[in-house]
């Protein structure tokens, strides 16, 4: 018999299927009952919902029934009927069961009781089978799909930038090296330095920290592009918001000024959040019940409220005022400081009580490529700051003037030989342009209400962990 996905049994069209014979396959969440009747809750991952399988133990082999335990995988044939019990509208009255795979209750780690997030990370190979991670994974798929839709509908082109690169976009030196050199026997030049001419690419290469620089090459040819792929940062940050391998969405647009840019940032996030509300309510409801009681309300409020535009200088003034009025921060506040997440969260959660797009940062705390303002002190950088998350987006209008860009590159001592191709965009047909990067897992944190970034990506990479 052709398999029916459990998701279909929770759709309105299920009415037409009642009293027909169907086949369902999936993993046992729970089994309970007595010698007259047994109930098996079966889940196949297509939805958070389990279908209830009902059977009369007298009709089945005793040994088979004994081996059906939490985690086992089954194929069930039976009649779909209206359910007598509370909690579900239909159930399957089993006529025959094939046991694909058992799950020894003495060793299978996912038993009915709730497990801590820390424990589930240790069994990352099995945690997609839990309700919580099923919901997170389905939402992750939906957010990726929404992102492609958003840009496609607006005429952006998906532009593939390399993962292996010889340039450090953010200039922070937090790159993982890529090499095939024998680390126990490195080739040396006469001055003792490593001879990268002999390395695979004939030069020193790393995993990318951002697709932006190549993205700018795309935008200054195709007009509007976006990248969406893995990025890597060897920063030793053990926080609930940092990964060493994360996914980033980076749109880059020709002829955009700062207002265009912040408008797109706001529209983009709202589109993704609205998508989750429109398409993933079952999973959101589950996460709202189990993980974060304020989740759905928070998502709805973000879709409905205008984001604040806040110049950095004004933000510092508000924070200094707060300190004067007795607010205690761990880190000092003064003009020129790179804001800590406690400061960002104060602005968003305490002061404005809605998302904030901060603009016009001091040039010293931002990357070399940001467009310099007339004041000589600030650049047209934008960070989107979110409740509970802090920075969710970082972006800027780019410095399109060749001389100004060169001056900044020289001030910062960025090696020129790696940057010639980037500078060519400013030498030939330069144009005003800008873009931003959204940390996909930061968006996932917001949309799922999960507290730790390790729990919104199937296989997290963080300092000292690369399991699975
Ligand atoms: O602010 P960042 O470093 O900006 C850039 O990389 C720019 N080149 C983007 C651009 O303009 N095209 O990173 C962008 C976003 C951050 O706002 C944050 O959401 C996320 O990427 N991010 C991280 N997410 C998880 N783990 C990390 N270690 C992250 N570092 C940055
Ligand atoms: Mg940033």
């Amino acid at each position: 018999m052709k398999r029916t996905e459990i998701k279909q049994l929770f759709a309105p069209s299920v009415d037409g299927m009642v009293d027909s014979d169907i086949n369902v396959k999936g993993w046992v969440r729970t089994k309970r009952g007595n010698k007259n009747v047994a109930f098996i809750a079966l889940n196949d991952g297509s939805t958070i919902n389990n279908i209830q399988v009902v059977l009369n133990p007298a009709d089945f082999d005793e040994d088979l029934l004994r081996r059906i335990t939490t985690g086992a995988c089954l194929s069930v044939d039976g009649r779909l009927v209206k359910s007598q019990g509370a909690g579900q509208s239909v159930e399957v009255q089993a006529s025959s069961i094939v046991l694909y795979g058992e799950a020894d209750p003495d060793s299978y780690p996912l038993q009915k009781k709730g497990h801590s997030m820390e424990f589930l990370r240790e069994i990352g190979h099995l945690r997609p089978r839990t309700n919580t991670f099923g919901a997170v994974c389905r939402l992750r798929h939906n957010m990726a799909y929404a992102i492609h839709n958003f840009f496609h509908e607006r005429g952006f082109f998906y532009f593939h930038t390399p993962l292996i690169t010889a340039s450090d976009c953010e200039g922070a030196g937090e790159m993982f090296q890529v090499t095939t050199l024998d680390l126990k026997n490195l080739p040396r030049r006469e001055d003792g330095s490593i001879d990268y001419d002999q390395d695979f690419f004939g030069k020193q290469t790393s995993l990318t920290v951002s697709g932006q620089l190549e993205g700018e090459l795309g935008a200054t040819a195709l007009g509007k592009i976006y990248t969406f792929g893995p990025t890597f940062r060897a920063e030793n940050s053990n926080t609930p918001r940092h990964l060493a391998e994360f996914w980033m969405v980076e749109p880059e647009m020709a002829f955009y000024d700062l207002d265009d840019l912040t408008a797109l940032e706001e529209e983009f996030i709202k589109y993704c959040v609205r998508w989750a509300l429109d398409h993933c309510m079952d999973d959101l409801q589950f996460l709202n019940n189990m993980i974060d009681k304020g989740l759905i309300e928070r998502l709805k409020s973000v879709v409905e409220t205008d984001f604040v535009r806040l110049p950095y200088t004004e933000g510092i003034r508000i924070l200094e005022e707060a300190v004067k009025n007795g607010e205690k921060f761990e880190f000092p506040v003064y003009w020129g400081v790179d804001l800590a997440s406690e400061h960002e969260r104060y602005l968003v959660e305490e002061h404005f009580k809605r998302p904030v797009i901060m603009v016009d940062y001091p040039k010293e705390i931002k990357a070399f490529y940001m467009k310099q303002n007339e004041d000589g002190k600030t650049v047209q950088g934008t960070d989107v700051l979110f409740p509970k998350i802090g920075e969710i987006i970082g972006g800027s209008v780019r410095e399109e003037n060749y001389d100004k860009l060169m001056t900044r590159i020289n001030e910062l001592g960025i090696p020129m030989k790696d940057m010639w191709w980037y500078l060519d965009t400013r030498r030939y047909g330069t144009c005003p342009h800008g873009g931003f990067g959204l940390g996909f897992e930061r968006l996932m944190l917001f949309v799922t209400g999960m507290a730790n970034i390790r729990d919104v990506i199937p296989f997290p990479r963080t300092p000292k962990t690369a399991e699975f």
Side-chain angles (χ1 to χ4, degrees), residues 238-253:
N238 253 310
T239 83
R241 295 175 304 111
H242 287 87
L243 290 166
E245 176 180 304
F246 64 100
W247 286 64
M248 186 151 51
V249 184
E250 295 185 276
E252 190 73 31
M253 297 73 61

Side-chain angles (χ1 to χ4, degrees), residues 170 366 383 391 393-394:
E170 293 305 297
K366 288 293 181 187
D383 277 5
E391 179 189 337
I393 279 182

Side-chain angles (χ1 to χ4, degrees), residues 28 33 45 56 77-78 84 94 119 123 147 150 180 222 255 258-259 351 373 381 404 413 420 426 438 449 455 459:
V28 175
N56 178 354
D77 288 346
Q84 311 297 313
F119 172 71
I123 52 161
I147 285 163
F150 175 86
T180 54
L222 297 160
F255 318 120
L258 190 62
D259 289 339
H351 189 82
N373 281 318
K404 285 188 187 166
W420 64 272
R426 277 60 170 178
L438 167 107
D455 302 328
F459 307 106

Side-chain angles (χ1 to χ4, degrees), residues 231-426:
T231 31
F232 306 88
R233 299 212 178 162
E235 57 185 330
N236 204 353
S237 304
N238 253 310
T239 83
R241 295 175 304 111
H242 287 87
L243 290 166
E245 176 180 304
F246 64 100
W247 286 64
M248 186 151 51
V249 184
E250 295 185 276
E252 190 73 31
M253 297 73 61
F255 318 120
Y256 264 50
D257 64 15
L258 190 62
D259 289 339
D260 300 328
L261 188 64
T262 57
L264 186 76
E265 291 171 344
E266 180 168 349
E267 189 189 357
F268 174 52
I269 298 190
K270 285 181 171 172
Y271 182 96
C272 293
V273 174
R274 195 176 299 116
W275 186 283
L277 288 167
D278 288 348
H279 297 90
C280 310
M281 216 14 139
D282 282 359
D283 287 322
L284 289 180
Q285 200 70 61
F286 174 83
L287 293 167
N288 195 85
N289 293 344
M290 304 301 290
I291 303 286
D292 177 354
K293 295 277 183 271
L295 175 65
I296 293 179
E297 202 182 312
R298 197 170 335 102
L299 297 184
K300 284 185 173 157
S301 107
V302 156
V303 170
E304 281 154 17
T305 46
D306 293 336
F307 296 6
V308 179
R309 306 306 192 261
L310 179 70
Y312 171 91
T313 302
E314 175 64 10
I316 292 294
R317 200 193 57 70
I318 294 169
L319 290 167
E320 283 174 341
E321 190 71 28
V323 171
K324 226 179 281 165
N325 292 333
E327 185 69 32
K328 295 261 180 294
F329 293 121
E330 188 183 344
F331 298 99
V333 177
Y334 53 91
W335 198 95
V337 75
D338 198 359
L339 294 180
S341 88
E342 57 173 345
H343 306 135
E344 298 174 339
R345 292 184 61 172
Y346 176 84
L347 291 169
V348 173
E349 292 166 23
E350 310 288 327
H351 189 82
F352 290 106
K353 298 193 166 45
R354 53 196 170 124
V356 169
I357 308 187
M358 194 175 258
V359 297
D360 296 326
Y361 283 83
K363 67 176 179 195
E364 282 74 21
I365 58 171
K366 288 293 181 187
F368 74 95
Y369 50 71
M370 295 197 181
K371 185 175 173 68
Q372 297 156 37
N373 281 318
E374 298 290 326
D375 61 14
K377 294 194 302 192
T378 59
V379 291
Q380 292 183 16
T382 79
D383 277 5
V384 181
L385 310 177
F386 252 53
K388 291 189 75 180
I389 314 289
E391 179 189 337
I392 191 165
I393 279 182
S396 79
V397 179
R398 316 307 184 190
E399 181 54 72
E400 86 272 16
N401 179 285
Y402 180 86
D403 295 327
K404 285 188 187 166
L405 185 62
M406 273 309 293
T407 307
R408 197 74 193 118
I409 285 175
N410 289 331
E411 277 170 12
L412 293 169
I414 296 170
M416 282 307 305
K417 80 171 171 19
D418 298 333
M419 298 302 293
W420 64 272
W421 49 271
Y422 183 72
L423 291 170
D424 268 5
T425 55
R426 277 60 170 178

Side-chain angles (χ1 to χ4, degrees), residues 424-444:
D424 268 5
T425 55
R426 277 60 170 178
R427 290 175 63 199
Y428 306 120
T430 192
C431 70
H433 66 287
F436 64 82
L438 167 107
F440 186 58
E441 285 75 21
R442 301 258 175 108
L443 174 70
M444 287 301 303

Side-chain angles (χ1 to χ4, degrees), residues 26-39:
W27 293 269
V28 175
R29 286 287 203 257
T30 56
K31 190 181 86 174
R32 61 191 174 84
N34 51 43
K35 61 182 189 319
N36 300 319
V37 59
F39 301 98

